[in-house]
């Protein structure tokens, strides 16, 4: 009846999935159905979506069912599969949702190490998708977390990557400046030298 009146539509590939076209009507349905019934419905749809390999929507329905930590892992696994399939934009979509969801967790629920791993996954997805501005933003976020966690090598690699993102968008002088700051902070190692040599090859060092 709802579909006939235009307030519901079924999924293109799954007639057991429904989408509300009217938010006010959706809220009333949710209210009358009760929290338990709604969560069971979302959990059922999440299972179907996982079976279909639709990790983005599976994660959404899991989060709506209250299984937020499980949703986070589904997003991450989906992103990994997307990257292996050469679909970086789809991986970014999954990980952006995971990153958004991660903001709702407290430290005991989502330890800093897992949050850092998520940031690194999103950084890598942005890099594969060629979104250098976003990759730089996440590289710096990961570097800060890595330093707090004592992952000094990972933090350095991420800061070098952040500088390289500047190089990828043509901001050579700023990239050079950041690499020199790493050098001046006694963080010089072979990875920093490689970055400096790369800029030298472009004629940035004169």
């Amino acid at each position: 009846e709802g579909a006939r009146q235009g307030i519901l539509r079924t999924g293109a590939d799954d007639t057991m999935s429904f989408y509300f076209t009217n938010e006010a009507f959706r809220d009333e349905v949710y209210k009358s159905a009760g929290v338990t019934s709604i969560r069971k419905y979302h959990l059922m749809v999440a299972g179907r979506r996982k079976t279909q390999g639709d990790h983005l929507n599976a994660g959404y329905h899991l989060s709506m069912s209250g299984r937020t930590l499980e949703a986070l892992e589904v997003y991450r696994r989906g992103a990994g599969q997307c990257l292996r399939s050469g679909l970086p934009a789809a991986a970014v979509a999954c990980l952006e949702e995971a990153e958004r969801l991660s903001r709702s967790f407290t430290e005991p629920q989502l330890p800093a190490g897992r949050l850092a791993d998520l940031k690194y996954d999103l950084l890598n997805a942005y890099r594969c998708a060629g979104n250098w501005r976003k990759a730089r933003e996440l590289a710096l976020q990961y570097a800060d977390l890595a330093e707090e966690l004592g992952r000094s090598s990972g933090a350095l690699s991420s800061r070098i990557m952040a500088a390289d993102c500047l190089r990828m968008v043509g901001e050579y002088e700023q990239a050079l400046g950041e690499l020199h700051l790493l050098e001046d902070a006694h963080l010089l190692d072979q990875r920093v030298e490689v970055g400096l040599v790369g800029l030298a090859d472009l004629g940035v060092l004169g």
Side-chain angles (χ1 to χ4, degrees):
E1 180 63 22
R4 187 178 65 81
Q5 293 182 6
I7 54 179
L8 282 176
R9 62 183 176 86
T10 57
D13 302 316
D14 187 354
T15 57
M16 289 298 293
S17 296
F18 297 91
Y19 303 87
F20 291 98
T21 59
N22 183 291
E23 291 186 8
F25 181 76
R26 178 200 63 195
D27 293 342
E28 284 300 316
V29 170
Y30 277 24
K31 188 185 300 182
S32 63
V35 173
T36 301
S37 295
I38 293 299
R39 285 185 172 178
K40 284 181 178 178
Y41 167 75
H42 281 297
L43 192 58
M44 177 196 72
V45 177
R48 295 172 71 90
R49 292 290 174 264
K50 282 198 289 185
T51 299
Q52 295 165 349
D54 184 355
H55 295 89
L56 185 61
N57 281 304
Y60 165 77
H61 285 288
L62 279 170
S63 67
M64 292 297 289
S65 75
R67 298 193 180 187
T68 47
L69 280 172
E70 187 178 347
L72 201 67
E73 289 309 308
V74 165
Y75 283 135
R76 288 188 67 195
R77 287 198 302 271
Q81 289 185 17
C82 289
L83 287 177
R84 289 190 292 273
S85 299
L87 301 169
V92 165
C94 282
L95 289 169
E96 284 181 337
E97 285 302 308
E99 199 273 338
R100 179 192 59 78
L101 189 60
S102 73
R103 298 173 204 156
S104 66
F105 294 114
T106 60
E107 169 73 21
Q109 293 172 310
L110 185 66
R114 288 183 66 185
L115 178 60
D117 292 340
L118 172 59
K119 296 284 187 183
Y120 187 83
D121 288 348
L122 184 53
L123 148 66
N124 189 49
Y126 279 135
R127 184 183 61 79
C128 292
N131 190 335
W132 302 109
R133 296 291 183 189
K134 282 290 189 178
R136 172 177 166 76
E137 180 183 327
L138 266 295
L140 293 173
Q141 290 180 24
Y142 174 78
D144 289 342
L145 281 171
E147 285 170 355
E148 292 175 10
L149 292 165
R151 302 177 182 179
S152 56
S153 180
L156 175 57
S157 294
S158 196
R159 293 198 185 281
I160 293 170
M161 190 182 300
D164 195 55
C165 289
L166 291 173
R167 178 184 67 84
M168 293 300 294
V169 296
E171 297 181 12
Y172 304 121
E173 293 293 344
Q174 189 175 346
L176 176 61
E178 290 194 3
L179 288 172
H180 277 311
L181 283 175
L182 292 175
E183 183 180 15
D184 293 342
H186 308 290
L187 293 172
L188 179 64
D189 72 0
Q190 187 176 5
R191 288 167 292 176
V192 180
E193 291 177 350
V194 167
L196 290 169
V197 169
L199 287 168
D201 289 344
L202 290 170
V204 176
L205 299 184

